[in-house]
Amino acid sequence: MAAPLLEIKDLVTVFHTSDGRLPAVDGVSLSIERGQTLGLVGESGCGKSVTAMSTLRLVSSPGRIESGSIMFTTEGESIDLVTTPEKQLRQVRGGRIGMIFQEPMTSLNPVFTIGNQIAEAVQLHRKVSRSEARSRALEMLHLVRLADPEQRLDAYPHQLSGGMRQRVMIAIALACEPDLIIADEPTTALDVTIQAQILELLDDLRSRLGTAILLITHDLGVVAETCDDVAVMYAGRIVEQASAVELFSRPLHPYTIGLLQARPNVDARDSGPLETIPGMVPPPQDFPSGCRFHPRCSHAREPQCNVEPPSLREVSPGHFVRCHFAEEINS
Amino acid sequence: MITYLLRRILLGLVTLVVITLMVYGLARSMPGNPLTVQLGESDPSRKLNPEDQQRMLEIYGLDKPWPVGYVQWISKVIQGDLGRSITRKQPVTQLIGERIGPTVLISGTALFLTWFLAIPLGLYASARGGRIDERFTGLVLYALYSFPTFVAALFLQIIFAVWLRDTHWELPLFGMSDLSSDAPFFARCRDVAWHAILPITCQTYVVLAYNSRFIKANLEEVVRQDFIRTARAKGAGPWRVLVHHAFRNTLIPLVTLLGLSLPALVGGSVIIEQIFTWPGMGRLFFESIRERDYPTIMGLTLMFSVLTLAGQLLADLLYSIVDPRVNVE
């Protein structure tokens, strides 16, 4: 079997602050196959964005990847993005892996035209002339279905709406036909109708270009619509991983179950107030002992849950869960 | 654009009237007048008798209250006449014409050096932020920034004109030239350049220290923005991120700073020109105030005010070039 496109193994990213060593990502393993969409889900502060940033080594100081490997395989060649020299990594950034960020309003440089910013991505990775890069930029604007691409090519970011800017960000990320796109909450800052359009666009581009997507989101609805596989993250660790169909029909981890119950259900209009998970995601300096979810878990049992950290185990083929009592809870 | 310019110019004219009115009022309210200050203090025997003094005040129009004097002055200015210096017996425009060259020589060179060095220094400081070498240069720049020019000038004079006297490193103590006006042109140029080194050094270092720190602080602000992360995610190298993406965004505050340096270009430094006995505008301003030479004070005030306002207008127009979000319409 060929190596997956991206395989993250035991990634540990820590922040050294005055509060000490904070492991925002604490032993995360993920893998994405070519042309697949993997959803990485979790509440704010669970470490999903840091995982995304670590993939391209964009975590800024005082954050640092402490251990683990990120194997990226294209054209039969594997490189470890954690250890590869900066120069080679720059060819991967924007070239083989594109990235889309949460804030389209601030993610584009305000003093350059959008055509210029897309063309830059092309010129950084391909030996093309200025005009070739510009026509590629125009082509990309057509591809992401921005209205009036010819006029918009010379527009500045402030002249576009949030949804249009996110289309431009997608155009930048896709300009060099990457194998993988990392989309870090690409729709969070947009209103709902625009969200749907952007997701549809991403999904369409994936099926047409065969680009794999790592979709980072806190929105399970988004995952259900677009992802092949899902990983649920809690307090710096993956707590459950399965195919989207499996996860939604048979969630095993109490946290996943809680997340699913916390969604509004249109079919049951009078089902009363929404379920919530009590408490909040603990910050890295306050990670509890044992299972990190046990203080918020209604099934937690002493002394096991508060002492012994559960390992991620495969309970059925392709379905991984990090809970001592997953089977019991669900039987 | 045209209406914007017209509005700004009209507003500028109002500002000019307010500034000159205040300065004229203050100058005329200082004790003494050109006649008493000039003659009476140095040699009592040359003091004018009261009748002569009265007659001369009438000739200069100083016998009436100052608001009347101001109206007379400004109506002449509108006709393009800045008047004659009372103490130097020559037209104010001619006086300014003689002094502006030496000042621009010093401040122009200093301004050029400041920006020429401050931008690379700022970029360097930002790129190497926090490392040992950057901390050291940062410390040196901070020390320079806090070191008063007049003290530095005196030290430089002691070092280069006294201690290093009769060596290759000797520099002139003061003045602009030791040669007579019939010396060969190139020899005179060399001599003036020789004399200008210390004053230029003094005028450069403080502004350089300030500007490079300003650039660094602004770069550090910009580097934290989201679009810098986007640039890095595109695969841009650290140098390209810093110069192309970050520095381009710091031009906006830099334009303000540049606009503010326009009046200083011809205004010169009173302190430095005084210490080095440099025949420039700063010294002329200082002397004209001491001599209560109202027409010269006012002529210089007018010029500095016009340049200050022009510098601000220029900066505002440049904003719309460096920042596409700004539209002067």
Side-chain angles (χ1 to χ4, degrees):
Chain A
M1 208 180 97
L5 178 65
L6 185 81
E7 187 164 33
I8 302 175
K9 268 218 174 101
D10 303 321
L11 180 72
V12 179
T13 303
V14 299
F15 287 80
H16 288 279
T17 69
S18 49
D19 289 334
R21 174 185 174 277
L22 310 179
V25 176
D26 197 5
V28 164
S29 299
L30 288 172
S31 79
I32 304 170
E33 301 291 337
R34 273 171 196 75
Q36 296 277 296
T37 302
L38 172 68
L40 185 58
V41 193
E43 285 172 272
S44 307
C46 70
K48 56 193 193 301
S49 282
V50 178
T51 306
M53 292 298 172
S54 301
T55 309
L56 283 179
R57 276 200 347 233
L58 287 173
V59 183
S60 48
S61 175
R64 207 168 62 77
I65 299 175
E66 203 173 69
S67 61
S69 68
I70 302 171
M71 296 310 293
F72 180 64
T73 310
T74 49
E75 289 150 11
E77 233 181 290
S78 289
I79 52 168
D80 184 354
L81 300 179
V82 174
T83 53
T84 194
E86 176 79 16
K87 215 169 171 180
Q88 205 182 342
L89 185 70
R90 286 214 293 273
Q91 290 166 2
V92 175
R93 287 183 188 152
R96 309 290 3 120
I97 301 180
M99 198 146 181
I100 304 165
F101 300 99
Q102 180 173 352
E103 285 296 334
M105 305 311 272
T106 53
S107 291
L108 291 166
N109 196 325
V111 300
F112 297 115
T113 63
I114 59 166
N116 194 321
Q117 296 188 53
I118 303 170
E120 186 195 9
V122 181
Q123 281 178 301
L124 281 168
H125 297 284
R126 292 180 182 176
K127 284 196 167 57
V128 290
S129 70
R130 215 172 245 258
S131 63
E132 283 169 324
R134 192 179 151 85
S135 58
R136 174 71 183 156
L138 183 62
E139 201 181 308
M140 291 315 296
L141 289 184
H142 277 289
L143 189 72
V144 298
R145 285 180 251 142
L146 192 75
D148 300 324
E150 281 83 6
Q151 284 88 49
R152 292 274 156 69
L153 202 56
D154 294 316
Y156 287 95
H158 73 277
Q159 294 163 324
L160 306 182
S161 69
M164 291 189 215
R165 289 189 214 188
Q166 201 58 299
R167 283 174 194 268
V168 173
M169 283 301 293
I170 295 172
I172 292 174
L174 282 171
C176 295
E177 296 171 332
D179 302 299
L180 172 67
I181 283 201
I182 299 174
D184 186 3
E185 306 246 9
T187 56
T188 305
L190 305 173
D191 53 55
V192 181
T193 47
I194 309 294
Q195 264 188 34
Q197 289 174 17
I198 295 288
L199 288 173
E200 196 185 311
L201 175 70
L202 274 175
D203 204 40
D204 178 51
L205 292 172
R206 177 185 64 126
S207 55
R208 275 164 59 194
L209 308 173
T211 315
I213 299 177
L214 173 57
L215 182 70
I216 289 151
T217 179
H218 63 265
D219 188 341
L220 282 167
V222 169
V223 171
E225 281 168 46
T226 50
C227 295
D228 301 303
D229 296 301
V230 190
V232 181
M233 211 169 157
Y234 184 82
R237 286 181 176 161
I238 303 284
V239 293
E240 184 164 7
Q241 190 171 0
S243 72
V245 180
E246 167 86 6
L247 190 101
F248 281 95
S249 60
R250 212 166 71 89
L252 292 179
H253 196 282
Y255 179 63
T256 316
I257 296 167
L259 283 181
L260 287 169
Q261 283 172 349
R263 296 167 62 212
N265 189 343
V266 194
D267 302 327
R269 219 166 273 175
D270 300 320
S271 57
L274 279 176
E275 296 279 334
T276 56
I277 305 172
M280 278 162 61
V281 182
Q285 61 268 35
D286 299 327
F287 279 163
S289 62
C291 171
R292 286 181 181 170
F293 186 62
H294 85 265
R296 300 173 73 187
C297 182
S298 54
H299 305 281
R301 285 177 220 174
E302 293 188 5
Q304 207 152 2
C305 290
N306 63 341
V307 176
E308 204 177 305
S311 57
L312 194 65
R313 45 200 184 91
E314 191 165 12
V315 286
S316 60
H319 194 152
F320 297 84
V321 66
R322 193 188 287 278
C323 176
H324 293 303
F325 305 108
E327 292 92 339
E328 259 176 78
I329 292 166
N330 293 285
S331 62
Chain B
M1 184 72 188
I2 301 287
T3 44
Y4 173 80
L5 274 180
L6 282 176
R7 211 177 65 226
R8 284 294 299 262
I9 289 169
L10 209 71
L11 211 69
L13 288 177
V14 176
T15 317
L16 278 183
V17 170
V18 175
I19 294 172
T20 50
L21 181 69
M22 284 169 64
V23 172
Y24 191 87
L26 284 170
R28 284 290 299 271
S29 309
M30 283 191 290
N33 61 44
L35 310 175
T36 56
V37 172
Q38 196 181 11
L39 305 171
E41 278 173 9
S42 52
D43 185 357
S45 67
R46 290 175 63 194
K47 208 168 187 171
L48 291 171
N49 63 46
E51 295 84 51
D52 287 345
Q53 241 194 64
Q54 189 56 35
R55 229 180 39 242
M56 293 206 40
L57 286 179
E58 277 168 35
I59 292 171
Y60 291 126
L62 299 175
D63 54 330
K64 299 180 198 69
W66 71 261
V68 181
Y70 176 75
V71 172
Q72 283 173 346
W73 175 78
I74 202 160
S75 42
K76 272 189 150 179
V77 167
I78 292 167
Q79 295 161 37
D81 181 8
L82 287 181
R84 286 177 71 83
S85 161
I86 297 172
T87 52
R88 288 160 203 263
K89 319 278 189 270
Q90 54 176 328
V92 171
T93 36
Q94 193 189 334
L95 205 54
I96 292 176
E98 283 171 10
R99 298 297 193 100
I100 200 165
T103 285
V104 171
L105 175 69
I106 299 276
S107 347
T109 316
L111 188 73
F112 172 77
L113 281 177
T114 302
W115 287 97
F116 189 73
L117 297 173
I119 291 174
L121 260 176
L123 287 171
Y124 156 80
S126 177
R128 304 275 309 166
R131 312 258 172 90
I132 291 285
D133 55 330
E134 188 276 320
R135 284 191 189 186
F136 179 72
T137 37
L139 192 73
V140 170
L141 285 173
Y142 193 65
L144 284 178
Y145 174 55
S146 344
F147 202 64
T149 29
F150 58 89
V151 181
L154 295 176
F155 271 116
L156 287 172
Q157 283 181 325
I158 289 176
I159 294 167
F160 287 98
V162 181
W163 293 352
L164 295 172
R165 187 178 222 153
D166 301 324
T167 68
H168 283 304
W169 297 94
E170 185 190 349
L171 287 171
L173 186 60
F174 60 81
M176 191 166 99
S177 179
D178 295 333
L179 300 175
S180 61
S181 54
D182 53 3
F185 178 73
F186 284 110
R188 265 167 53 214
C189 284
R190 239 196 68 171
D191 190 48
V192 170
W194 209 238
H195 281 80
I197 292 177
L198 288 186
I200 287 174
T201 310
C202 285
Q203 210 171 331
T204 305
Y205 83 85
V206 177
V207 191
L208 170 66
Y210 179 81
N211 285 7
S212 58
R213 289 174 59 81
F214 183 84
I215 292 169
K216 183 195 173 217
N218 274 289
L219 275 173
E220 279 175 352
E221 184 79 30
V222 174
V223 164
R224 278 198 290 269
Q225 307 275 325
D226 285 347
F227 59 80
I228 294 298
R229 189 181 56 188
T230 307
R232 292 178 63 209
K234 270 188 206 176
W239 189 244
R240 185 174 171 83
V241 168
L242 190 64
V243 177
H244 185 75
H245 289 274
F247 183 63
R248 184 66 178 66
N249 275 278
T250 62
L251 284 182
I252 298 155
L254 283 189
V255 158
T256 321
L257 213 57
L258 193 68
L260 289 175
S261 60
L262 191 65
L265 181 65
V266 286
S269 159
V270 172
I271 294 170
I272 288 171
E273 290 185 0
Q274 197 62 32
I275 291 175
F276 291 100
T277 340
W278 192 263
M281 305 277 277
R283 212 166 137 230
L284 179 64
F285 204 25
F286 179 72
E287 285 166 358
S288 64
I289 293 170
R290 209 179 51 198
E291 294 163 359
R292 309 285 187 272
D293 188 1
Y294 308 127
T296 310
I297 297 175
M298 291 313 294
L300 290 169
T301 303
L302 184 68
M303 196 177 86
F304 296 155
S305 319
V306 168
L307 281 165
T308 306
L309 294 173
Q312 283 170 1
L313 180 60
L314 189 74
D316 285 351
L317 292 178
L318 280 176
Y319 281 144
S320 61
I321 295 173
V322 298
D323 188 349
R325 288 162 295 186
V326 174
N327 189 348
V328 290
E329 294 297 325

